[in-house]
Amino acid sequence: MPVVLVVDDSAPNREMIRMYLSTIDVDVQQAGDGVSALEMIEARAPDLVLLDVPVVMITGLSQTTHRVMALEAGADDFMAKPVEGAELIARVRSALRLKELYNTLDSAEHVIFSLATAVEAKDSFTERHTHRVGESARLLGQKLGLSEPTLDTLYRGGIIHDIGKIGVSDSILHKPGPLNAIELPQMQAHVEIGESIVRPLHSTSGLLPIIRHHHERFDGSGYPDRLRAREIPRVARIVSVCDAFDALVNDRPYRSRRSTEEALAVLRAGSGTQWDPETVELLATELPTLHHLGAA
Ligand SMILES: [Fe+2]
């Protein structure tokens, strides 16, 4: 019988998981802390470990397929050996920030953020896309000297901004090529769908401008409200640049990834028309740190 090891410091949580799993043919073992979990793994290697912290995999395997396999197996992040000190620190901070976010959520917020994760999972090409967007947006906000609550808004908004895609059909989300006149409005509706999902929660009201306005364009030709320049909330302008950059440097269904330089050239070409010039240039100065986060 396969062995499933459940690691959680809360006995009621472990018990709940054991009860859920009692309906399938598995031997559920429990550990209340990391030390006893390791002892149990040593004594008898489990087939599966369920634990409540982010998992970052470090391995000598470096091909894209290995990376995808690790992430599909549930790793939150992936680093290839040899690991650089600065990269390790950036990734550990990032994983701990995610854990901290989940620790502070109430149950309604938990549902919202889980939905955002489900959206991400719908499109395997995005991997940890939204999490990296949150990290990069927070970093740029920090460089701009924005307040701690605003940095938190940028981080959460970066993670949740595309939550409305849960209401867009997979055939449109995954279409390898440009969308037609019928599909395009359905795709664009994700900003308003997202807004209506999050609006009932008062605690996340600060995220609404990011969700609604992350596809506005600096020249006023974006959607849904055709806001221009500084009419676009600053947090939305920042997330929009981070979102575009991370999408460019990672594989998408319709094209393979660009180099950091190519991605920056695309952003600069659209600076002042699509994107906020100030944010684009700020991102350019922060490329090494973004690289450590896995965003490039
Ligand atoms: Fe979007």
Side-chain angles (χ1 to χ4, degrees):
M1 203 186 284
V3 175
V4 177
L5 175 60
V6 180
V7 188
D8 196 312
D9 55 1
S10 151
N13 280 354
R14 295 198 304 270
E15 196 47 35
M16 189 182 72
I17 293 175
R18 193 193 59 75
M19 273 173 53
Y20 285 146
L21 295 181
S22 63
T23 55
I24 60 171
D25 251 2
V26 289
D27 175 8
V28 178
Q29 308 220 333
Q30 304 182 25
D33 56 53
V35 173
S36 41
L38 288 172
E39 282 168 6
M40 292 172 76
I41 290 169
E42 190 92 349
R44 185 181 173 193
D47 298 281
L48 177 68
V49 180
L50 298 175
L51 69 172
D52 80 335
V53 292
V55 173
V56 178
M57 187 177 276
I58 300 179
T59 160
L61 304 170
S62 59
Q63 288 173 17
T64 305
T65 50
H66 296 136
R67 193 186 174 83
V68 170
M69 275 167 64
L71 295 167
E72 279 178 350
D76 292 274
D77 205 349
F78 182 99
M79 277 186 285
K81 289 178 184 172
V83 172
E84 278 177 64
E87 182 184 12
L88 179 67
I89 289 167
R91 301 293 186 94
V92 167
R93 282 213 177 112
S94 154
L96 292 177
R97 191 162 10 247
L98 190 62
K99 171 75 163 83
E100 173 67 22
L101 168 69
Y102 275 90
N103 283 347
T104 59
L105 299 178
D106 65 30
S107 53
E109 293 168 331
H110 230 287
V111 171
I112 297 285
F113 278 85
S114 302
L115 258 183
T117 312
V119 174
E120 217 180 310
K122 274 177 85 170
D123 184 354
S124 63
F125 278 86
T126 63
E127 294 179 6
R128 307 304 298 167
H129 171 65
T130 62
H131 181 205
R132 285 192 309 261
V133 173
E135 281 287 342
S136 337
R138 189 185 189 286
L139 173 78
L140 297 193
Q142 210 170 21
K143 297 295 166 186
L144 288 167
L146 303 182
S147 69
E148 200 54 48
T150 308
L151 298 184
D152 195 49
T153 297
L154 282 167
Y155 179 60
R156 291 171 181 233
I159 293 176
I160 220 174
H161 71 278
D162 267 340
I163 189 170
K165 283 188 179 170
I166 200 91
V168 179
S169 80
D170 286 1
S171 61
I172 293 178
L173 285 180
H174 298 161
K175 185 174 177 185
L179 300 176
N180 64 33
I182 294 162
E183 296 160 339
L184 194 61
Q186 293 184 37
M187 179 62 134
Q188 293 182 342
H190 79 272
V191 298
E192 280 157 306
I193 297 171
E195 200 184 19
S196 60
I197 292 173
V198 174
R199 195 187 289 116
L201 273 187
H202 292 294
S203 57
T204 46
S205 60
L207 309 183
L208 293 175
I210 295 178
I211 296 170
R212 183 172 180 91
H213 297 299
H214 71 273
H215 286 287
E216 303 285 0
R217 291 170 52 112
F218 203 74
D219 62 7
S221 66
Y223 64 89
D225 298 320
R226 302 178 71 87
L227 300 183
R228 63 168 60 228
R230 286 172 183 259
E231 290 169 1
I232 307 167
R234 193 182 204 181
V235 285
R237 279 181 269 147
I238 295 173
V239 167
S240 166
V241 170
C242 294
D243 186 26
F245 181 74
D246 194 80
L248 285 165
V249 296
N250 287 281
D251 293 322
R252 281 295 160 106
Y254 39 89
R255 53 150 180 78
S256 51
R257 72 178 78 180
R258 319 269 183 103
S259 72
T260 309
E261 295 72 30
E262 288 166 344
L264 188 57
V266 172
L267 291 186
R268 281 186 165 145
S271 175
T273 49
Q274 183 160 2
W275 295 292
D276 173 24
E278 184 196 23
T279 311
V280 170
E281 287 317 305
L282 178 62
L283 179 135
T285 63
E286 295 304 319
L287 281 183
T289 317
L290 293 173
H291 178 72
H292 287 142
L293 285 168

